[in-house]
Amino acid sequence: SSDLFSNEVTSRVKFAVNPIVLQELFLSSEVHSHPELLRSIQEQLEILPLDPLRATKWVTRAKELRNRIAHSNDLLILSSAAGCDYLVTDDIDFRALSPSEPKVVTPREFLEQIGGRR
């Protein structure tokens, strides 16, 4: 995933993150070991707003697909990415929740699609 923030990639794409995912970055062991990484990443990201009302759109779909209510964070992440071209994640369950837009891809798939390093 570190290739996502290489100069080659960041010169060609604009990244955005929502506060839930940003919080997960705060908690990562790599950031605790190298706090300057977070500052560098934050400088390259737009922070997306959370819109709980938009998230309700996916509640019915989540129940159908998972036979349970999806975690509320999943719905908030998906709803904040609604205006993006891609949702880059290793959580492939998002593909079932969002079959079309945004396109859900893993970091490796994203780099392959944009012609970046793999």
Side-chain angles (χ1 to χ4, degrees):
S1 295
S2 61
D3 284 341
L4 289 174
F5 299 103
S6 70
N7 288 337
E8 175 190 357
V9 174
T10 58
S11 67
R12 297 172 44 212
V13 299
K14 182 177 178 183
F15 286 103
V17 65
N18 78 9
I20 293 167
V21 176
L22 190 58
Q23 172 187 316
E24 292 174 8
L25 286 173
F26 288 141
L27 300 175
S28 78
S29 60
E30 190 171 353
V31 166
H32 282 277
S33 300
H34 304 282
E36 69 280 3
L37 289 175
L38 187 59
R39 184 179 332 236
S40 173
I41 290 171
Q42 283 180 288
E43 290 171 359
Q44 300 176 52
L45 298 172
E46 173 187 348
I47 299 178
L48 299 169
L50 294 178
D51 185 349
L53 293 176
R54 185 187 280 173
T56 60
K57 167 183 166 182
W58 282 280
V59 171
T60 302
R61 181 91 175 122
K63 288 179 185 177
E64 292 170 11
L65 294 168
R66 296 184 183 201
N67 200 21
R68 64 176 174 84
I69 297 177
H71 192 281
S72 59
N73 284 353
D74 294 349
L75 301 177
L76 291 169
I77 290 167
L78 188 56
S79 66
S80 65
C84 299
D85 295 325
Y86 294 94
L87 172 60
V88 181
T89 179
D90 283 318
D91 185 346
I92 59 170
D93 287 337
F94 278 102
R95 288 184 178 165
L97 287 169
S98 179
S100 57
E101 291 185 20
K103 184 171 185 175
V104 179
V105 294
T106 65
R108 177 179 295 258
E109 291 168 336
F110 178 72
L111 290 171
E112 289 172 355
Q113 288 191 20
I114 66 162
R117 289 185 293 187
R118 291 167 214 135

